[in-house]
Amino acid sequence: MKTTRTPQTAQAAKLQTQKRRTLVALASLLFIGTGIFLSQQAHAQNYPTRPVKIVVPFATGGPADNYARFIAQRLQESLGQTFVVDNKPGAGSVIGTDVAAKAAPDGYTLLLMSNTHTVNETLIPNKPFALMKDFVGVAPINYSDLVLVVNPTKGLNSLADVIRVAKAQPGKLNYASSGPGTPYHMAGELFKSMAKIDMVHVPYKGSSGARTDVLGGQVDMMFDAVTTMTEQVKAGKVKAVGTSGKVRSDVLPEVPTLNEGGVAGYEATIWLGLMAPKGTPKAIVAKLNEAVSKIASQPDVKQQWAKQGAVPIVLNPTQFDKYLQDDIAKWSGVIKSANIKLD
């Protein structure tokens, strides 16, 4: 007997065919996805197989450069491959960061970054990159307080002296920084805003030039990292009038904080971290995060950094991304409320 298909049975058959095709397509996607994942895992297990470049968008000699070289050496020992530091300073870190943003997202180019980058998200809106769009967080490294130092020939022996002169003669005093948007610049702008004083910002292309001119008396003062300026303070080459943390620095315990010195609520630090171009395999990011976290957690590293006034930061990639987002929001609020603009 010949079977006649009704419209209902024809529709059912069509639905069954569509279901089979959908299942086949999903299975294919799952197979492809699993293949990609396994490929990335295998790639990460072998990573790195050639030298890795760490782009440092700051000049040589400053904390960012010093810690980049320290981390590079320790990563080389840990992962068995060369890690090369490539300094590309200029434009408040924008030049070097743009180079890193345009690099292949394969784990062989990393960016050494600081809170300069989270500041620049608001301070320099027309950059050729966006931090959280063009990069992924790899790992934080450490943070340290800043210290406001004055050339000893200027006759400014305390924070009160600096504030008194700045209020009496607006624009007379000046302060150096390693460039627009750097933690040194923002610490100075925050100080000006909170103390309600006027000082002239003198930007340099790196912290070394700024530091040299403060030591030589060409510039009155600067905020610098305690990790690099403590030796000069103890040698009497500069006068420390305040540190920037919530509590006194362990390496300069005799120096009061700016909060103690009359700028209530003042706090500014410098922190460092590693990022990678967006699209870098998650397995490689995870491997690097684990390696950096282990380095920062080693007792000898903690001890060495403590002597320099630096404190390790250990976060996983997800936590570091939130840390970055929060810091962007923090400095955005400061910049807008104080109406801070580039010189």
Side-chain angles (χ1 to χ4, degrees), residues 95-124:
I95 291 175
T97 304
D98 188 41
V99 169
K102 291 179 169 61
D106 55 8
Y108 289 92
T109 299
L110 305 176
L111 173 71
L112 190 289
M113 51 84 66
S114 75
N115 37 329
T116 296
H117 291 79
T118 52
V119 166
N120 282 350
E121 287 302 284
T122 302
L123 193 63
I124 310 177

Side-chain angles (χ1 to χ4, degrees), residues 7-187:
Q8 289 82 4
T9 57
Q11 182 66 24
K14 184 178 180 181
L15 287 173
Q16 287 294 331
T17 300
Q18 288 177 343
K19 281 184 179 180
R20 283 196 298 271
R21 288 175 179 170
T22 300
L23 289 172
V24 169
L26 288 173
S28 297
L29 287 174
L30 180 61
F31 178 78
I32 293 170
T34 302
I36 292 173
F37 174 77
L38 292 175
S39 175
Q40 289 181 348
Q41 290 295 108
H43 184 48
Q45 287 177 358
N46 295 327
Y47 171 88
T49 59
R50 53 188 170 87
V52 179
K53 179 167 64 178
I54 301 177
V55 176
V56 178
F58 308 105
T60 58
D65 177 61
N66 292 336
Y67 284 111
R69 294 178 187 280
F70 180 92
I71 288 294
Q73 179 60 37
R74 290 297 180 112
L75 284 173
Q76 182 169 314
E77 294 168 1
S78 173
L79 299 179
Q81 188 56 256
T82 302
F83 280 73
V84 180
V85 171
D86 185 12
N87 294 87
K88 291 189 178 297
S93 80
V94 171
I95 291 175
T97 304
D98 188 41
V99 169
K102 291 179 169 61
D106 55 8
Y108 289 92
T109 299
L110 305 176
L111 173 71
L112 190 289
M113 51 84 66
S114 75
N115 37 329
T116 296
H117 291 79
T118 52
V119 166
N120 282 350
E121 287 302 284
T122 302
L123 193 63
I124 310 177
N126 297 320
K127 305 179 305 302
F129 59 86
L131 194 66
M132 304 308 290
K133 174 177 171 289
D134 296 309
F135 290 93
V136 293
V138 173
I141 297 172
N142 62 30
Y143 78 89
S144 60
D145 291 341
L146 303 174
V147 57
L148 178 58
V149 295
V150 181
N151 183 280
T153 66
K154 304 297 179 178
L156 303 168
N157 297 312
S158 67
L159 189 67
D161 285 347
V162 173
I163 295 173
R164 174 179 52 77
V165 172
K167 285 188 173 181
Q169 302 178 67
K172 172 182 170 61
L173 297 178
N174 54 43
Y175 75 98
S177 85
S178 54
T182 60
Y184 313 112
H185 172 213
M186 296 309 297

